[in-house]
Amino acid sequence: QVQLVESGGGVVQPGKSLRLSCVASGFTFSSFPMNWVRQIPGKGLEWVAVISYDGNNKHYADAVEGRFTISRDNSENTLFLQMNSLRSEDTAVYYCARESTRPTDYWGQGTLVTVSS
Amino acid sequence: DIQMTQSPSTLSASVGDRVTITCRASQSISSWLAWYQQKPGKAPKLLIYKASTLETGVPSRFSGSRSGTEFTLTISSLQPDDFATYHCQQYNSYKWTFGQGTKVEI
């Protein structure tokens, strides 16, 4: 059974950093590209970043380019999102999502990041 | 970036109603369009991909269609479990973009 479990969210001050994790199980993690998607509470979905199955290719949304870094540890079946220089507009629920041809088939339950002084 | 314009933002309907939600892409995305259903506090659930292919396990009352850059999600007969928010998503490029969402309420 495929499972994606995010952690690492919380309340952080503007300008600070936070690292999110997504632990995968129930499938061969190293075979799938992975994405981070966020959602401001009560609003729509926004794609954040994608990483290839081997970690060699990464792409970011313009809104986070240069501040966020996506990475993965295939030996630990874990996806990461390092978020630096956080802003109030980064406040959202962050989901990890497995990419397939459909284009995604599994999502985590999300972790809430609140950027506030 | 490709913009997705989804309408309406809110839709009031009754059980048994036929419901239609539309998404328009700012440029051609071929049929690389997916629809998701989301309930409060939950992750989105894939309903339809490639504009009209029903995900396994999704009831047949859901259907999707495409006309150029306009895409439609139709629920043929609304059921109590269908009251939720629906999102469209283009995946023509690695920079996915989503519509603003449509809340289907009673």
Side-chain angles (χ1 to χ4, degrees):
Chain A
Q1 178 185 356
V2 172
Q3 277 200 308
L4 298 169
V5 179
E6 301 98 336
S7 62
V11 180
V12 61
Q13 293 179 330
K16 300 295 187 181
S17 299
L18 207 59
R19 189 196 201 198
L20 305 183
S21 300
C22 169
V23 177
S25 61
F27 67 101
T28 305
F29 179 69
S30 58
S31 295
F32 291 84
M34 296 293 295
N35 289 262
W36 286 100
V37 176
R38 67 185 181 183
Q39 184 173 34
I40 297 171
K43 301 295 184 182
L45 298 161
E46 179 185 23
W47 172 79
V48 173
V50 60
I51 187 168
S52 60
Y53 68 96
D54 58 3
N56 288 336
N57 290 290
K58 308 172 186 181
H59 298 284
Y60 300 91
D62 292 345
V64 307
E65 180 88 58
R67 299 187 299 123
F68 289 11
T69 302
I70 189 171
S71 62
R72 66 192 297 161
D73 183 341
N74 285 342
S75 66
E76 296 291 332
N77 292 339
T78 304
L79 174 72
F80 302 100
L81 185 68
Q82 177 67 42
M83 304 185 295
N84 298 333
S85 303
L86 282 161
R87 306 167 180 168
S88 57
E89 55 263 37
D90 296 319
T91 294
V93 174
Y94 285 74
Y95 296 100
C96 61
R98 187 178 88 164
E99 185 166 330
S100 70
T101 57
R102 308 199 310 271
T104 66
D105 49 7
Y106 290 96
W107 297 59
Q109 83 290 350
T111 186
L112 176 62
V113 172
T114 302
V115 183
S116 173
S117 55
Chain B
D1 293 356
I2 300 171
Q3 308 301 317
M4 302 301 296
T5 304
Q6 184 174 344
S7 61
S9 56
T10 307
L11 189 159
S12 297
S14 301
V15 173
D17 283 354
R18 182 181 181 87
V19 165
T20 298
I21 299 168
T22 299
C23 242
R24 187 184 303 271
S26 60
Q27 64 189 72
S28 175
I29 58 169
S30 186
S31 292
W32 304 117
L33 189 285
W35 290 98
Y36 297 86
Q37 177 192 68
Q38 187 179 29
K39 296 187 177 179
K42 300 294 186 181
K45 171 191 170 186
L46 180 67
L47 298 176
I48 287 169
Y49 60 97
K50 213 170 179 186
S52 60
T53 303
L54 204 63
E55 172 71 341
T56 302
V58 174
S60 58
R61 61 181 180 273
F62 292 92
S63 64
S65 63
R66 170 198 172 194
S67 177
T69 58
E70 185 168 295
F71 299 84
T72 301
L73 171 69
T74 300
I75 310 172
S76 60
S77 178
L78 201 64
Q79 298 302 301
D81 190 49
D82 301 338
F83 290 95
T85 298
Y86 294 84
H87 306 273
C88 65
Q89 175 207 17
Q90 69 78 19
Y91 54 107
N92 183 68
S93 75
Y94 60 79
K95 282 192 172 185
W96 300 342
T97 47
F98 295 84
Q100 301 92 323
T102 296
K103 183 177 182 181
V104 177
E105 57 185 23
I106 301 173

